[in-house]
Amino acid sequence: MNLRETEFPRLPGLLRPVRRRGAARGPRTLPRLTLAAICGAYAVGAALGWGSEAVALFMGDFGLSIAALAAAASCLHYARTHPGNPFRPAWVLFAVSSTMAGLGNAVWGWYEVVLGRPVPSPSPADFCFLLFAPPSIVGLLVLAKRPVNRAGWVCLALDAWLIGGSLLTLSWSLALDHPSYWQGESVSLVALSLAYPLMDIVLISMVLVLHFRRSSAHRSAVNTVIGALALTVLCDALFSAPLLREHYSSGQVLDAGWFAGSVLLAYAPWVGSAEGRETEAVRAVRRPPAPANGAMAGSLAALTPYLAAAVCTLGILYNVRDGGAIDRVVLLTGCTVVLALVVRQGIMLLDNIHLTQELAQKENHFRSLVQGSSDVIMIASPAGMLRYVSPAAAGVYGREPDKLVGSELASLIHPEDLGRVLHEVRRFLAARPDEEPSTRIECRIRHASGRWLNVESTVNRYQSGLIFNSRDVTERVRLQAQLQHNASHDPLTDLPNRALFTDRVRQALGGRRRGDAAAGHTAVLYIDLDGFKAVNDTVGHQAGDELLVQAARRLQESVRAGDTAARLGGDEFAALIAGDDRCDRAEREYRVLEIAERLRAALSHPYLVEGGEVRVAASIGVAFAEPGTTPAVLMRHADLAMYRAKQAGKNRVELYAPQQQAEAVRRAERMTAGRLRGALPEAAAAPLLHQPVVELSSGRIASVAAQVRGRPVPEAVLPPGDSPQDADALRAPGGDGSDGAGHRLLARAVEQAAERHRAGFPVPVSVRIDARRLADRATAPAAVEALLSRHGLPPEALVVEVSGSDAGVSLDELELWVTALRRIGVGIALAGFGGGQGLVALGRLPADVLRLERPLVDGVLESPKVRKITSGLLRIAGDLGMASVADGVDRPEQAAALRAMGCTHAQGAVFAAPLDEPGLRRAMARGRYPVPYGEQRTTLGGRSVVVAGSLPMWGSGAAGAGALPHPPLRSNSETSVPPT
């Protein structure tokens, strides 16, 4: 399948939104009908003579005055109630113009109706009528689209004169040169007679200019103003004609035109107001005018000067129709019109030359941007044929752009990605452009060398095709894959870690139907190296790590291809033996035990480390899945079997047998129940310690981490079914041994933080809450909010640390819980990164802080691989806008290296040990800790490198201030043997 065979689909006409006539035009239908009825009633009354001469005079004079004054009041009221309207000055000017017209008609009516005698000429009404035109002309200039430069203003004035001069020439030739205008009349009357048509000519010129230069805003209001003034000027022109003026009397049909013009002008501003109140939905479905209409309007605007010149020519020809001498007024006006046309064309020619140069400059600018861009820009036709390829293709794809032009885009895309790309392109083209202007596509593109590049493309519409803006993201994809691999694998042995192993067990059990007997064929082996602690203590930790690597290699070579070998931590390993339906249970148990014996023998062979032989043994526990067994139960059974093997003398394989161990478990539970119940309240009542979290850029104390004063719970008090991690929960920072204890620890941390806030130390406190307790009522978001409100602590002063890698917690539930806390205002820190859900949790949970655990910090200087992982995590945190906190920073070199990699905060012995309340307040009073700087040489990955040095360390705690020795690095200790 290629793009030519499955052409990019074009948008069909049915996808165009339908105009919702009722929603767009319904609200203005009633006012328009009302205006039409009023104007029609006046026209009918004028045509019928109003029934009597007195009524006709009243309606012809005071009726027009009332209509004009109503228009003035409407425009003035709109201008006062809409101060932010850009056309507000125009409505004020139209109000003044209508006021003049209303006063003129009122004076006219005073003479005809009140005094009962003819209107003298000239009269005050004439001056009022003459003052109608100037404000209207200025108002039209306000409504016109303002030119952007001086040449535009000159062209606007020339256009107005071209129209006005042409109309003056034609009017003078047709009417104004009539002998009746001059014979027996005084100079004032002649001037008044000429002023009326001249003002009308100027006004109609501005109306025509505005028609082609009107602003796009409030188009309906501008059109209504144009119609109102055009109707008024038309009636003025008819009134100026000698034949009509001689037989004119108030109340005739001609007055209906003036009346309708005033009514339209009164309605004009409110048309724009109604247009501005339309909803966004109605605006979204409206379509712009058809291109043909826009082209026609542009053509008429371009032809306006030539049409004006043609009208002027007609006026001159009419003036010399009888072969007489041309009138001087016509000659002078014609010459100025021709001169204005020549000047305008010269300005337009210069403007076109400037626009051409500017267009060429912009084209060169954009061509330089496209050709100099490191991204590959391609334009594809609807059939998938490449029309243009930018020069960057030579460096990214290793192909010459000219050779790619004319080829099919499908030939470059990986066959496995082609179907997905086509589907996304079809979906994108089917969407509305205003809703989805662009889309992103990731696929693999073939390099000229034959390898595949991971490419990310931003796709935009272009005419009938598409524009692809592509960049090579191969390194980013590789880093993401490496981080995903590192998050699910042990950094030392590269075997699957606990989270991935748990997920593999879940998949193996999930493929079985509940109650299926074949589920018993799946087995889990827990493996522990006997004597490993002695290797660490005698030969050294480096030799212990090398031994673990060799043991992992032997373990991986000993299991079958379909099985999974993993390192769970320390010297503990595990193996998942997949089920086999082709044999019965007894045979399957025999084969699994045979595999376990082979693993024990392989792991017990001597190891060559540090130039000498080292011997360790292996204790292996085996557990088979029963119908309905969960992964946690199956792994716990295997763990119990492994401890049973160590109790029985080590270096042996034990099969989990619940009947044999039930009594021992009950006896251990009875023995430890009382001691454990006493230990939990004691742990909950233990005083809190707080370790400062220091900002690496300044040494400022940014927050404090709440911890329980360490009172170790001996492993002897735990039943064989419980792991040592359950005891660590009582000692871990913020850990809780029970729901009540966890709530009390959180409550005490909030209470002490509130006391510090009131004492003038507003430093946030960080408390770790076990993600497995998210369903407890004591740690529910509502309970946390109530706790903060009770103690008066601002929500932003509390940071809750949660683990995003706990395989036993649903990520959906964790996301809901964390989102609810964030909604309250509590800060969120993501701890325990590196598990199976780590990357997914980092993308889904709305966290503010990424916390680096001690294993990553310990390996920053010693392991180049761990250093690269840590650097990648810090870079991701920075890209996501998250702060980062490194836990367990005990050496100045670690702090300097983390600071150089972009870590923002750190806590550890290099700054201060966990402090009691008096020591913490003294530290916060000082405010800052010295931050390591300078240069110091250290060994990293077998090479001598330069890292930041350090200032002398100091700290304070329960014992007071003093130098803090470097604690030894944590080792992989041997798993302890539980008591019998």
Side-chain angles (χ1 to χ4, degrees), residues 682-717:
E682 183 182 359
L688 288 183
L689 298 180
H690 294 83
Q691 188 170 28
V693 177
V694 179
E695 187 177 20
L696 290 178
S697 60
S698 62
R700 181 179 60 88
I701 299 177
S703 63
V704 294
Q707 304 178 9
V708 182
R709 185 186 298 273
R711 285 184 178 166
V713 179
E715 294 176 2
V717 304

Side-chain angles (χ1 to χ4, degrees), residues 90-112:
W91 300 123
V92 175
L93 291 171
F94 291 142
V96 174
S97 178
S98 297
T99 301
M100 294 296 103
L103 292 176
N105 283 299
V107 172
W108 198 289
W110 175 263
Y111 281 104
E112 287 189 337

Side-chain angles (χ1 to χ4, degrees), residues 300-544:
L300 291 177
L303 291 176
T304 300
Y306 304 100
L307 294 177
V311 172
C312 182
T313 303
L314 290 176
I316 296 174
L317 293 177
Y318 183 82
N319 186 260
V320 297
R321 65 188 184 281
D322 297 330
I326 187 172
D327 188 87
R328 286 178 295 177
V329 175
V330 174
L331 179 61
L332 179 61
T333 306
C335 291
T336 55
V337 169
V338 173
L339 179 61
L341 179 62
V342 172
V343 173
R344 187 186 186 283
Q345 292 303 108
I347 293 175
M348 295 301 297
L349 179 61
L350 294 177
D351 193 32
N352 289 336
I353 294 175
H354 175 71
L355 290 177
T356 303
Q357 294 176 350
E358 185 178 357
L359 181 62
Q361 182 179 3
K362 289 184 177 180
E363 183 179 357
N364 293 332
H365 174 70
F366 285 109
R367 182 182 292 109
S368 300
L369 289 178
V370 172
Q371 293 180 352
S373 174
S374 59
D375 295 347
V376 180
I377 301 176
M378 300 184 296
I379 301 178
S381 67
M385 197 72 65
L386 293 177
R387 295 176 177 173
Y388 172 80
V389 181
S390 65
V396 177
Y397 300 151
R399 302 171 183 267
E400 293 297 329
D402 296 338
K403 296 181 179 179
L404 288 177
V405 174
S407 62
E408 293 182 354
L409 181 61
S411 62
L412 303 177
I413 301 176
H414 195 283
E416 297 178 1
D417 301 339
L418 184 58
R420 177 171 51 83
V421 171
L422 288 175
H423 174 75
E424 177 62 20
V425 168
R426 293 192 188 99
R427 186 203 60 77
F428 171 64
L429 291 178
R432 290 180 51 175
D434 56 342
E435 295 179 354
E436 189 173 5
S438 63
T439 186
R440 296 175 64 184
I441 295 177
E442 289 191 13
C443 62
R444 286 168 288 180
I445 298 293
R446 184 188 297 274
H447 192 270
S449 61
R451 71 179 191 275
W452 294 100
L453 303 177
N454 295 94
V455 175
E456 179 185 71
S457 302
T458 301
V459 185
N460 295 274
R461 298 173 180 84
Y462 175 74
Q463 296 179 355
S464 59
L466 295 172
I467 294 181
F468 292 83
N469 192 344
S470 308
R471 60 178 57 89
D472 183 11
V473 294
T474 304
E475 289 301 322
R476 190 191 72 184
V477 172
R478 288 177 181 173
L479 177 60
Q480 290 177 346
Q482 181 181 358
L483 290 176
Q484 180 66 37
H485 177 83
N486 295 336
S488 58
H489 288 74
D490 176 61
L492 179 63
T493 62
D494 205 35
L495 290 179
N497 58 15
R498 181 183 293 273
L500 181 57
F501 183 77
T502 304
D503 186 64
R504 296 277 178 87
V505 174
R506 182 181 296 108
Q507 292 178 8
L509 298 181
R512 306 293 183 184
R513 297 187 304 273
R514 186 174 181 86
D516 191 350
H521 293 179
T522 300
V524 170
L525 279 61
Y526 257 51
I527 307 165
D528 184 79
L529 300 182
D530 303 322
F532 178 75
K533 185 176 185 303
V535 175
N536 269 340
D537 295 340
T538 57
V539 187
H541 298 294
Q542 187 68 29

Side-chain angles (χ1 to χ4, degrees), residues 606-618:
Y607 295 87
L608 183 61
V609 293
E610 297 290 340
E613 286 190 356
V614 174
R615 291 181 176 271
V616 295

Side-chain angles (χ1 to χ4, degrees), residues 124-145:
D126 294 321
F127 295 102
C128 291
F129 288 141
L130 286 177
L131 292 177
F132 168 81
S136 298
I137 294 172
V138 180
L140 290 173
L141 287 175
V142 175
L143 293 180
K145 183 187 297 184

Side-chain angles (χ1 to χ4, degrees), residues 220-291:
S220 298
V222 176
N223 290 337
T224 306
V225 171
I226 291 174
L229 295 179
L231 186 58
T232 302
V233 172
L234 177 61
C235 293
D236 287 345
L238 294 175
F239 178 75
S240 300
L243 295 178
L244 289 178
R245 188 171 186 179
E246 291 176 0
H247 300 87
Y248 171 79
S249 62
S250 298
Q252 293 182 351
V253 180
L254 187 61
D255 292 343
W258 282 313
F259 182 83
S262 297
V263 172
L264 286 177
L265 190 59
Y267 176 63
W270 306 102
V271 177
S273 178
E275 192 176 62
R277 289 194 301 265
E278 291 180 349
T279 61
E280 293 297 331
V282 174
R283 293 182 182 180
V285 300
R286 289 198 169 188
R287 283 299 191 192

